[in-house]
Amino acid sequence: MEDDLALSYQLSQNLKEAGHHVQTCSTASAAQEELWRAEFDLLITDVIVKVDGRSVPDGGIGLISWVRRTEKCRTIPIIAITGTAKFPGMEHILSTTRQVGADVGIEKPINVDHILEEIDFLTS
C-alpha cells in the first residue's frame, strides 16, 4: 500500500522483475479489502498516506493494527516504509510501526536490494 503512484509503480515493477506477484493499493481501506478477499504472503505498507498533500487517517499504522487484529491475516509478515522519519518529531515512526505489529521498518528512498533481502527473509 503506497499513496505515491510513481513509487508504487516502480516498486511493483522491481518486485515483479524479482519474480514476485504484486497487488497495489493507495489506501489502507483498499488494502483491507484486498487482504480480506485474497491470500497474500507479505504486506508492504507506507506509514503515512496523504490526499491533496495532507495526511489522512487511512494509512499504514491503522492498516498494520487491523492486520494484527484480523484472524484471517494476522500472521502475514509486514514491512512498513516511510519517508517521514527524517522530519523533526517523526524520528521514532518506524519503531512505532514495529510496536503495532510491523516486522520490519524501512526508510525511503527504498533500496531495492535491501527490501528484496527483507522479503526473502520474511517469507522463507
Side-chain angles (χ1 to χ4, degrees), residues 36-101:
W36 194 255
R37 184 178 10 195
E39 298 293 322
F40 293 91
D41 297 325
L42 178 90
L43 170 65
I44 300 173
T45 182
D46 192 0
V47 177
I48 306 293
V49 170
K50 293 183 178 183
V51 175
D52 298 325
R54 302 186 76 169
S55 297
V56 297
D58 200 16
I61 299 287
L63 178 58
I64 294 165
S65 179
W66 178 86
V67 167
R68 292 301 179 235
R69 291 188 326 266
T70 303
E71 182 67 33
K72 178 185 184 288
C73 50
R74 75 170 32 132
T75 61
I76 295 172
I78 301 172
I79 297 175
I81 59 175
T82 190
T84 61
K86 61 185 169 262
F87 296 112
M90 298 298 285
E91 299 89 358
H92 303 290
I93 192 73
L94 288 174
S95 63
T96 300
T97 66
R98 288 189 296 278
Q99 289 172 2
V100 295

Short mmCIF file of all heavy atoms in Angstrom, two decimals, residues 36-101:
data_model
loop_
_atom_site.label_atom_id
_atom_site.label_comp_id
_atom_site.label_asym_id
_atom_site.label_seq_id
_atom_site.Cartn_x
_atom_site.Cartn_y
_atom_site.Cartn_z
N TRP A 36 -8.74 -9.09 2.66
CA TRP A 36 -9.90 -9.88 3.03
C TRP A 36 -10.30 -10.84 1.92
O TRP A 36 -10.71 -11.97 2.16
CB TRP A 36 -11.06 -8.96 3.40
CG TRP A 36 -12.15 -9.68 4.10
CD1 TRP A 36 -13.35 -10.05 3.59
CD2 TRP A 36 -12.13 -10.17 5.44
NE1 TRP A 36 -14.09 -10.73 4.53
CE2 TRP A 36 -13.35 -10.81 5.69
CE3 TRP A 36 -11.19 -10.12 6.46
CZ2 TRP A 36 -13.66 -11.39 6.90
CZ3 TRP A 36 -11.49 -10.70 7.67
CH2 TRP A 36 -12.72 -11.32 7.88
N ARG A 37 -10.14 -10.37 0.68
CA ARG A 37 -10.60 -11.11 -0.49
C ARG A 37 -9.65 -12.23 -0.92
O ARG A 37 -10.08 -13.27 -1.39
CB ARG A 37 -10.80 -10.14 -1.64
CG ARG A 37 -11.36 -10.74 -2.88
CD ARG A 37 -11.59 -9.76 -3.97
NE ARG A 37 -11.00 -8.46 -3.67
CZ ARG A 37 -11.29 -7.35 -4.30
NH1 ARG A 37 -12.15 -7.37 -5.26
NH2 ARG A 37 -10.71 -6.22 -3.98
N ALA A 38 -8.34 -12.03 -0.78
CA ALA A 38 -7.36 -12.98 -1.32
C ALA A 38 -6.31 -13.32 -0.26
O ALA A 38 -6.27 -12.73 0.81
CB ALA A 38 -6.70 -12.37 -2.56
N GLU A 39 -5.47 -14.27 -0.60
CA GLU A 39 -4.36 -14.68 0.28
C GLU A 39 -3.08 -13.99 -0.18
O GLU A 39 -2.80 -13.94 -1.37
CB GLU A 39 -4.17 -16.20 0.21
CG GLU A 39 -5.35 -17.01 0.68
CD GLU A 39 -5.60 -16.86 2.16
OE1 GLU A 39 -4.62 -16.78 2.93
OE2 GLU A 39 -6.78 -16.80 2.56
N PHE A 40 -2.31 -13.49 0.77
CA PHE A 40 -1.04 -12.82 0.48
C PHE A 40 0.04 -13.36 1.40
O PHE A 40 -0.23 -13.73 2.53
CB PHE A 40 -1.18 -11.31 0.67
CG PHE A 40 -2.09 -10.67 -0.34
CD1 PHE A 40 -3.45 -10.52 -0.07
CD2 PHE A 40 -1.60 -10.24 -1.56
CE1 PHE A 40 -4.30 -9.94 -1.00
CE2 PHE A 40 -2.44 -9.67 -2.51
CZ PHE A 40 -3.80 -9.52 -2.23
N ASP A 41 1.27 -13.37 0.88
CA ASP A 41 2.42 -13.84 1.65
C ASP A 41 3.10 -12.74 2.45
O ASP A 41 3.87 -13.02 3.36
CB ASP A 41 3.46 -14.47 0.72
CG ASP A 41 2.92 -15.69 0.01
OD1 ASP A 41 2.12 -16.43 0.60
OD2 ASP A 41 3.30 -15.91 -1.16
N LEU A 42 2.84 -11.47 2.07
CA LEU A 42 3.54 -10.35 2.67
C LEU A 42 2.78 -9.07 2.39
O LEU A 42 2.13 -8.94 1.34
CB LEU A 42 4.95 -10.24 2.05
CG LEU A 42 5.82 -9.09 2.52
CD1 LEU A 42 6.64 -9.53 3.74
CD2 LEU A 42 6.76 -8.64 1.42
N LEU A 43 2.89 -8.11 3.30
CA LEU A 43 2.33 -6.78 3.11
C LEU A 43 3.44 -5.76 3.23
O LEU A 43 4.21 -5.78 4.19
CB LEU A 43 1.26 -6.49 4.18
CG LEU A 43 0.75 -5.06 4.27
CD1 LEU A 43 0.00 -4.66 3.00
CD2 LEU A 43 -0.13 -4.89 5.51
N ILE A 44 3.54 -4.88 2.24
CA ILE A 44 4.41 -3.72 2.32
C ILE A 44 3.47 -2.52 2.38
O ILE A 44 2.62 -2.35 1.53
CB ILE A 44 5.33 -3.60 1.09
CG1 ILE A 44 6.23 -4.83 0.97
CG2 ILE A 44 6.17 -2.32 1.18
CD1 ILE A 44 7.05 -4.89 -0.31
N THR A 45 3.64 -1.70 3.42
CA THR A 45 2.73 -0.57 3.58
C THR A 45 3.47 0.72 3.90
O THR A 45 4.41 0.73 4.71
CB THR A 45 1.67 -0.83 4.68
OG1 THR A 45 0.79 0.29 4.74
CG2 THR A 45 2.28 -1.09 6.03
N ASP A 46 3.06 1.77 3.23
CA ASP A 46 3.51 3.10 3.57
C ASP A 46 2.91 3.44 4.94
O ASP A 46 1.83 2.96 5.28
CB ASP A 46 3.01 4.09 2.51
CG ASP A 46 3.66 5.46 2.60
OD1 ASP A 46 4.50 5.68 3.48
OD2 ASP A 46 3.30 6.31 1.76
N VAL A 47 3.60 4.24 5.70
CA VAL A 47 3.12 4.59 7.04
C VAL A 47 2.13 5.75 6.98
O VAL A 47 1.05 5.69 7.56
CB VAL A 47 4.30 4.91 7.98
CG1 VAL A 47 3.79 5.35 9.35
CG2 VAL A 47 5.22 3.71 8.10
N ILE A 48 2.51 6.79 6.25
CA ILE A 48 1.69 8.00 6.17
C ILE A 48 1.08 8.09 4.77
O ILE A 48 1.80 8.04 3.78
CB ILE A 48 2.52 9.27 6.44
CG1 ILE A 48 3.28 9.18 7.77
CG2 ILE A 48 1.65 10.52 6.36
CD1 ILE A 48 2.42 9.17 9.00
N VAL A 49 -0.24 8.23 4.70
CA VAL A 49 -0.93 8.41 3.43
C VAL A 49 -1.42 9.84 3.36
O VAL A 49 -2.01 10.36 4.31
CB VAL A 49 -2.11 7.42 3.30
CG1 VAL A 49 -2.99 7.75 2.11
CG2 VAL A 49 -1.59 5.99 3.20
N LYS A 50 -1.17 10.47 2.21
CA LYS A 50 -1.61 11.86 2.02
C LYS A 50 -2.59 11.94 0.85
O LYS A 50 -2.44 11.23 -0.14
CB LYS A 50 -0.41 12.76 1.73
CG LYS A 50 0.51 12.90 2.91
CD LYS A 50 1.63 13.85 2.64
CE LYS A 50 2.51 13.98 3.88
NZ LYS A 50 3.57 14.94 3.68
N VAL A 51 -3.57 12.79 1.03
CA VAL A 51 -4.52 13.13 -0.02
C VAL A 51 -4.47 14.64 -0.16
O VAL A 51 -4.63 15.35 0.84
CB VAL A 51 -5.94 12.63 0.30
CG1 VAL A 51 -6.93 13.11 -0.74
CG2 VAL A 51 -5.97 11.12 0.43
N ASP A 52 -4.22 15.11 -1.36
CA ASP A 52 -4.09 16.54 -1.60
C ASP A 52 -3.06 17.18 -0.67
O ASP A 52 -3.25 18.28 -0.15
CB ASP A 52 -5.43 17.26 -1.46
CG ASP A 52 -6.45 16.77 -2.48
OD1 ASP A 52 -6.04 16.44 -3.62
OD2 ASP A 52 -7.65 16.71 -2.14
N GLY A 53 -1.96 16.46 -0.44
CA GLY A 53 -0.87 16.99 0.37
C GLY A 53 -1.07 16.96 1.87
O GLY A 53 -0.21 17.41 2.62
N ARG A 54 -2.19 16.41 2.32
CA ARG A 54 -2.47 16.36 3.76
C ARG A 54 -2.57 14.91 4.23
O ARG A 54 -3.18 14.09 3.57
CB ARG A 54 -3.77 17.08 4.07
CG ARG A 54 -3.73 18.55 3.62
CD ARG A 54 -4.93 19.25 4.04
NE ARG A 54 -4.75 19.50 5.48
CZ ARG A 54 -5.52 20.30 6.18
NH1 ARG A 54 -6.53 20.89 5.61
NH2 ARG A 54 -5.30 20.48 7.45
N SER A 55 -1.98 14.64 5.39
CA SER A 55 -2.07 13.29 5.96
C SER A 55 -3.51 12.96 6.29
O SER A 55 -4.25 13.81 6.79
CB SER A 55 -1.22 13.20 7.23
OG SER A 55 0.13 13.40 6.94
N VAL A 56 -3.89 11.70 6.01
CA VAL A 56 -5.24 11.23 6.32
C VAL A 56 -5.13 9.99 7.21
O VAL A 56 -4.10 9.33 7.24
CB VAL A 56 -6.03 10.91 5.02
CG1 VAL A 56 -6.23 12.16 4.19
CG2 VAL A 56 -5.36 9.82 4.20
N PRO A 57 -6.18 9.66 7.93
CA PRO A 57 -6.12 8.52 8.85
C PRO A 57 -6.15 7.16 8.16
O PRO A 57 -6.04 6.14 8.82
CB PRO A 57 -7.35 8.71 9.74
CG PRO A 57 -8.24 9.62 9.02
CD PRO A 57 -7.40 10.44 8.10
N ASP A 58 -6.25 7.13 6.84
CA ASP A 58 -6.34 5.87 6.09
C ASP A 58 -4.94 5.38 5.71
O ASP A 58 -4.66 5.09 4.56
CB ASP A 58 -7.19 6.10 4.83
CG ASP A 58 -7.75 4.81 4.25
OD1 ASP A 58 -7.73 3.78 4.96
OD2 ASP A 58 -8.17 4.82 3.09
N GLY A 59 -4.04 5.30 6.71
CA GLY A 59 -2.65 4.98 6.44
C GLY A 59 -2.17 3.69 7.07
O GLY A 59 -2.95 2.85 7.52
N GLY A 60 -0.86 3.56 7.09
CA GLY A 60 -0.21 2.32 7.46
C GLY A 60 -0.33 1.89 8.90
O GLY A 60 -0.43 0.71 9.19
N ILE A 61 -0.31 2.84 9.83
CA ILE A 61 -0.42 2.46 11.24
C ILE A 61 -1.75 1.74 11.48
O ILE A 61 -1.79 0.67 12.09
CB ILE A 61 -0.29 3.68 12.17
CG1 ILE A 61 1.07 4.36 12.01
CG2 ILE A 61 -0.57 3.30 13.62
CD1 ILE A 61 2.24 3.63 12.60
N GLY A 62 -2.82 2.30 10.98
CA GLY A 62 -4.13 1.67 11.11
C GLY A 62 -4.20 0.34 10.39
O GLY A 62 -4.79 -0.62 10.90
N LEU A 63 -3.59 0.27 9.22
CA LEU A 63 -3.59 -0.98 8.46
C LEU A 63 -2.83 -2.08 9.18
O LEU A 63 -3.30 -3.21 9.29
CB LEU A 63 -3.00 -0.75 7.06
CG LEU A 63 -2.89 -1.98 6.15
CD1 LEU A 63 -4.25 -2.64 5.92
CD2 LEU A 63 -2.23 -1.59 4.83
N ILE A 64 -1.65 -1.74 9.70
CA ILE A 64 -0.86 -2.73 10.44
C ILE A 64 -1.65 -3.23 11.64
O ILE A 64 -1.74 -4.44 11.89
CB ILE A 64 0.48 -2.13 10.89
CG1 ILE A 64 1.35 -1.80 9.67
CG2 ILE A 64 1.21 -3.06 11.85
CD1 ILE A 64 2.52 -0.88 9.98
N SER A 65 -2.25 -2.33 12.37
CA SER A 65 -3.05 -2.70 13.54
C SER A 65 -4.22 -3.59 13.14
O SER A 65 -4.50 -4.60 13.80
CB SER A 65 -3.54 -1.42 14.23
OG SER A 65 -4.32 -1.74 15.34
N TRP A 66 -4.90 -3.25 12.04
CA TRP A 66 -6.03 -4.05 11.57
C TRP A 66 -5.58 -5.46 11.19
O TRP A 66 -6.23 -6.44 11.55
CB TRP A 66 -6.69 -3.36 10.36
CG TRP A 66 -7.82 -4.15 9.79
CD1 TRP A 66 -9.12 -4.13 10.19
CD2 TRP A 66 -7.76 -5.07 8.70
NE1 TRP A 66 -9.88 -4.99 9.43
CE2 TRP A 66 -9.05 -5.58 8.50
CE3 TRP A 66 -6.72 -5.52 7.88
CZ2 TRP A 66 -9.33 -6.53 7.51
CZ3 TRP A 66 -7.01 -6.46 6.89
CH2 TRP A 66 -8.32 -6.94 6.72
N VAL A 67 -4.45 -5.56 10.49
CA VAL A 67 -3.94 -6.88 10.09
C VAL A 67 -3.67 -7.73 11.33
O VAL A 67 -4.06 -8.90 11.38
CB VAL A 67 -2.67 -6.75 9.23
CG1 VAL A 67 -1.94 -8.08 9.08
CG2 VAL A 67 -3.01 -6.18 7.85
N ARG A 68 -3.03 -7.16 12.33
CA ARG A 68 -2.69 -7.93 13.52
C ARG A 68 -3.90 -8.32 14.35
O ARG A 68 -3.87 -9.29 15.10
CB ARG A 68 -1.68 -7.16 14.38
CG ARG A 68 -0.32 -7.04 13.71
CD ARG A 68 0.27 -8.41 13.40
NE ARG A 68 1.57 -8.30 12.75
CZ ARG A 68 1.86 -8.88 11.60
NH1 ARG A 68 0.96 -9.61 10.96
NH2 ARG A 68 3.05 -8.74 11.08
N ARG A 69 -5.02 -7.60 14.20
CA ARG A 69 -6.25 -7.94 14.92
C ARG A 69 -7.16 -8.87 14.14
O ARG A 69 -8.15 -9.37 14.68
CB ARG A 69 -7.04 -6.67 15.24
CG ARG A 69 -6.46 -5.76 16.25
CD ARG A 69 -7.40 -4.62 16.64
NE ARG A 69 -8.26 -4.14 15.57
CZ ARG A 69 -7.99 -3.10 14.76
NH1 ARG A 69 -6.86 -2.45 14.89
NH2 ARG A 69 -8.86 -2.72 13.85
N THR A 70 -6.89 -9.09 12.86
CA THR A 70 -7.78 -9.84 11.98
C THR A 70 -7.28 -11.27 11.83
O THR A 70 -6.19 -11.51 11.30
CB THR A 70 -7.88 -9.14 10.60
OG1 THR A 70 -8.32 -7.80 10.81
CG2 THR A 70 -8.84 -9.87 9.68
N GLU A 71 -8.08 -12.20 12.30
CA GLU A 71 -7.70 -13.62 12.32
C GLU A 71 -7.18 -14.11 10.97
O GLU A 71 -6.17 -14.79 10.89
CB GLU A 71 -8.89 -14.47 12.78
CG GLU A 71 -8.59 -15.95 12.88
CD GLU A 71 -7.61 -16.29 13.98
OE1 GLU A 71 -7.61 -15.61 15.01
OE2 GLU A 71 -6.83 -17.24 13.81
N LYS A 72 -7.86 -13.76 9.90
CA LYS A 72 -7.52 -14.26 8.57
C LYS A 72 -6.09 -13.90 8.14
O LYS A 72 -5.44 -14.67 7.46
CB LYS A 72 -8.50 -13.73 7.54
CG LYS A 72 -8.19 -14.18 6.11
CD LYS A 72 -9.11 -13.52 5.11
CE LYS A 72 -8.87 -14.02 3.72
NZ LYS A 72 -7.62 -13.55 3.13
N CYS A 73 -5.62 -12.75 8.56
CA CYS A 73 -4.32 -12.31 8.03
C CYS A 73 -3.32 -11.89 9.10
O CYS A 73 -2.27 -11.33 8.77
CB CYS A 73 -4.52 -11.19 7.01
SG CYS A 73 -5.55 -9.84 7.52
N ARG A 74 -3.57 -12.19 10.35
CA ARG A 74 -2.71 -11.68 11.42
C ARG A 74 -1.28 -12.20 11.38
O ARG A 74 -0.39 -11.61 11.98
CB ARG A 74 -3.33 -11.92 12.79
CG ARG A 74 -3.27 -13.33 13.29
CD ARG A 74 -3.69 -13.45 14.76
NE ARG A 74 -4.68 -12.49 15.14
CZ ARG A 74 -5.79 -12.76 15.80
NH1 ARG A 74 -6.03 -13.98 16.18
NH2 ARG A 74 -6.64 -11.81 16.11
N THR A 75 -1.00 -13.30 10.67
CA THR A 75 0.36 -13.82 10.61
C THR A 75 1.14 -13.36 9.38
O THR A 75 2.30 -13.74 9.21
CB THR A 75 0.34 -15.37 10.64
OG1 THR A 75 -0.38 -15.85 9.50
CG2 THR A 75 -0.28 -15.88 11.93
N ILE A 76 0.53 -12.53 8.54
CA ILE A 76 1.22 -12.03 7.35
C ILE A 76 2.39 -11.15 7.79
O ILE A 76 2.20 -10.22 8.58
CB ILE A 76 0.26 -11.21 6.46
CG1 ILE A 76 -0.84 -12.08 5.90
CG2 ILE A 76 1.02 -10.51 5.33
CD1 ILE A 76 -1.93 -11.30 5.17
N PRO A 77 3.59 -11.40 7.28
CA PRO A 77 4.71 -10.50 7.59
C PRO A 77 4.44 -9.11 7.01
O PRO A 77 3.85 -8.99 5.93
CB PRO A 77 5.90 -11.15 6.89
CG PRO A 77 5.48 -12.55 6.59
CD PRO A 77 4.00 -12.54 6.46
N ILE A 78 4.88 -8.08 7.73
CA ILE A 78 4.63 -6.71 7.31
C ILE A 78 5.93 -5.92 7.27
O ILE A 78 6.68 -5.91 8.25
CB ILE A 78 3.64 -6.01 8.26
CG1 ILE A 78 2.29 -6.74 8.30
CG2 ILE A 78 3.46 -4.54 7.85
CD1 ILE A 78 1.34 -6.22 9.36
N ILE A 79 6.14 -5.24 6.14
CA ILE A 79 7.23 -4.28 6.01
C ILE A 79 6.59 -2.90 5.93
O ILE A 79 5.77 -2.64 5.06
CB ILE A 79 8.07 -4.54 4.74
CG1 ILE A 79 8.75 -5.91 4.81
CG2 ILE A 79 9.11 -3.42 4.56
CD1 ILE A 79 9.51 -6.29 3.55
N ALA A 80 6.97 -2.03 6.85
CA ALA A 80 6.49 -0.65 6.86
C ALA A 80 7.55 0.22 6.21
O ALA A 80 8.74 0.07 6.50
CB ALA A 80 6.22 -0.18 8.28
N ILE A 81 7.13 1.12 5.32
CA ILE A 81 8.06 2.04 4.66
C ILE A 81 7.60 3.48 4.90
O ILE A 81 6.41 3.74 4.98
CB ILE A 81 8.20 1.75 3.15
CG1 ILE A 81 6.85 1.86 2.43
CG2 ILE A 81 8.82 0.38 2.93
CD1 ILE A 81 6.93 1.72 0.92
N THR A 82 8.57 4.38 5.05
CA THR A 82 8.21 5.78 5.26
C THR A 82 9.32 6.71 4.84
O THR A 82 10.50 6.34 4.92
CB THR A 82 7.83 6.06 6.73
OG1 THR A 82 7.27 7.36 6.82
CG2 THR A 82 9.01 5.93 7.66
N GLY A 83 8.92 7.88 4.43
CA GLY A 83 9.87 8.94 4.15
C GLY A 83 9.84 10.02 5.21
O GLY A 83 10.51 11.03 5.10
N THR A 84 9.05 9.80 6.25
CA THR A 84 8.86 10.84 7.26
C THR A 84 9.81 10.75 8.44
O THR A 84 9.86 11.67 9.24
CB THR A 84 7.42 10.81 7.81
OG1 THR A 84 7.18 9.54 8.41
CG2 THR A 84 6.41 11.07 6.71
N ALA A 85 10.58 9.68 8.55
CA ALA A 85 11.45 9.51 9.73
C ALA A 85 12.53 10.58 9.81
O ALA A 85 13.09 10.81 10.87
CB ALA A 85 12.08 8.12 9.71
N LYS A 86 12.81 11.25 8.71
CA LYS A 86 13.85 12.28 8.71
C LYS A 86 13.36 13.63 9.19
O LYS A 86 14.14 14.54 9.38
CB LYS A 86 14.44 12.40 7.30
CG LYS A 86 13.43 12.82 6.25
CD LYS A 86 14.05 12.82 4.85
CE LYS A 86 12.98 12.96 3.80
NZ LYS A 86 12.56 11.73 3.21
N PHE A 87 12.06 13.77 9.42
CA PHE A 87 11.49 15.05 9.83
C PHE A 87 11.46 15.17 11.36
O PHE A 87 11.23 14.17 12.06
CB PHE A 87 10.08 15.23 9.26
CG PHE A 87 10.06 15.31 7.76
CD1 PHE A 87 9.48 14.30 7.01
CD2 PHE A 87 10.64 16.38 7.09
CE1 PHE A 87 9.47 14.35 5.63
CE2 PHE A 87 10.63 16.46 5.71
CZ PHE A 87 10.05 15.44 4.98
N PRO A 88 11.67 16.38 11.87
CA PRO A 88 11.61 16.59 13.33
C PRO A 88 10.28 16.10 13.91
O PRO A 88 9.22 16.36 13.36
CB PRO A 88 11.75 18.11 13.48
CG PRO A 88 12.46 18.56 12.24
CD PRO A 88 11.97 17.62 11.15
N GLY A 89 10.39 15.36 14.99
CA GLY A 89 9.21 14.83 15.65
C GLY A 89 8.76 13.48 15.12
O GLY A 89 7.89 12.84 15.70
N MET A 90 9.34 13.04 14.01
CA MET A 90 8.93 11.77 13.39
C MET A 90 10.05 10.72 13.45
O MET A 90 9.94 9.67 12.83
CB MET A 90 8.53 12.00 11.94
CG MET A 90 7.34 12.92 11.77
SD MET A 90 5.84 12.29 12.53
CE MET A 90 5.38 11.02 11.36
N GLU A 91 11.11 10.99 14.20
CA GLU A 91 12.27 10.11 14.24
C GLU A 91 11.93 8.68 14.68
O GLU A 91 12.63 7.74 14.31
CB GLU A 91 13.34 10.68 15.17
CG GLU A 91 13.87 12.02 14.78
CD GLU A 91 13.07 13.18 15.37
OE1 GLU A 91 12.06 12.95 16.08
OE2 GLU A 91 13.46 14.33 15.11
N HIS A 92 10.87 8.53 15.45
CA HIS A 92 10.54 7.22 16.03
C HIS A 92 9.38 6.53 15.31
O HIS A 92 8.86 5.53 15.81
CB HIS A 92 10.22 7.37 17.52
CG HIS A 92 11.33 7.99 18.28
ND1 HIS A 92 12.53 7.33 18.52
CD2 HIS A 92 11.48 9.22 18.84
CE1 HIS A 92 13.33 8.12 19.20
NE2 HIS A 92 12.72 9.28 19.41
N ILE A 93 9.00 7.02 14.15
CA ILE A 93 7.83 6.47 13.46
C ILE A 93 8.01 4.99 13.11
O ILE A 93 7.07 4.21 13.22
CB ILE A 93 7.44 7.31 12.22
CG1 ILE A 93 6.08 6.91 11.68
CG2 ILE A 93 8.50 7.22 11.13
CD1 ILE A 93 4.93 7.35 12.51
N LEU A 94 9.22 4.59 12.72
CA LEU A 94 9.41 3.18 12.36
C LEU A 94 9.36 2.28 13.60
O LEU A 94 8.85 1.16 13.53
CB LEU A 94 10.71 2.98 11.58
CG LEU A 94 10.65 3.52 10.15
CD1 LEU A 94 12.02 3.42 9.48
CD2 LEU A 94 9.59 2.79 9.32
N SER A 95 9.85 2.76 14.74
CA SER A 95 9.72 1.95 15.95
C SER A 95 8.26 1.86 16.37
O SER A 95 7.82 0.83 16.89
CB SER A 95 10.59 2.49 17.09
OG SER A 95 10.19 3.77 17.48
N THR A 96 7.49 2.91 16.10
CA THR A 96 6.05 2.86 16.38
C THR A 96 5.38 1.79 15.51
O THR A 96 4.53 1.04 16.00
CB THR A 96 5.40 4.23 16.13
OG1 THR A 96 6.01 5.19 17.00
CG2 THR A 96 3.90 4.19 16.37
N THR A 97 5.78 1.70 14.25
CA THR A 97 5.17 0.68 13.37
C THR A 97 5.49 -0.71 13.89
O THR A 97 4.64 -1.60 13.83
CB THR A 97 5.64 0.81 11.91
OG1 THR A 97 7.04 0.54 11.79
CG2 THR A 97 5.30 2.16 11.33
N ARG A 98 6.69 -0.90 14.42
CA ARG A 98 7.04 -2.22 14.96
C ARG A 98 6.25 -2.50 16.24
O ARG A 98 5.86 -3.62 16.50
CB ARG A 98 8.54 -2.33 15.17
CG ARG A 98 9.28 -2.45 13.82
CD ARG A 98 10.75 -2.78 13.97
NE ARG A 98 11.51 -1.73 14.63
CZ ARG A 98 11.97 -0.64 14.04
NH1 ARG A 98 11.74 -0.43 12.77
NH2 ARG A 98 12.67 0.24 14.72
N GLN A 99 5.97 -1.46 17.02
CA GLN A 99 5.19 -1.65 18.25
C GLN A 99 3.76 -2.08 17.94
O GLN A 99 3.16 -2.83 18.72
CB GLN A 99 5.18 -0.37 19.07
CG GLN A 99 6.50 -0.07 19.71
CD GLN A 99 6.54 1.30 20.37
OE1 GLN A 99 5.56 2.04 20.39
NE2 GLN A 99 7.69 1.66 20.92
N VAL A 100 3.20 -1.62 16.81
CA VAL A 100 1.83 -2.03 16.47
C VAL A 100 1.79 -3.30 15.64
O VAL A 100 0.71 -3.81 15.37
CB VAL A 100 1.01 -0.91 15.80
CG1 VAL A 100 0.79 0.25 16.74
CG2 VAL A 100 1.62 -0.47 14.50
N GLY A 101 2.96 -3.82 15.22
CA GLY A 101 2.96 -5.12 14.57
C GLY A 101 3.77 -5.30 13.31
O GLY A 101 3.83 -6.40 12.78
#
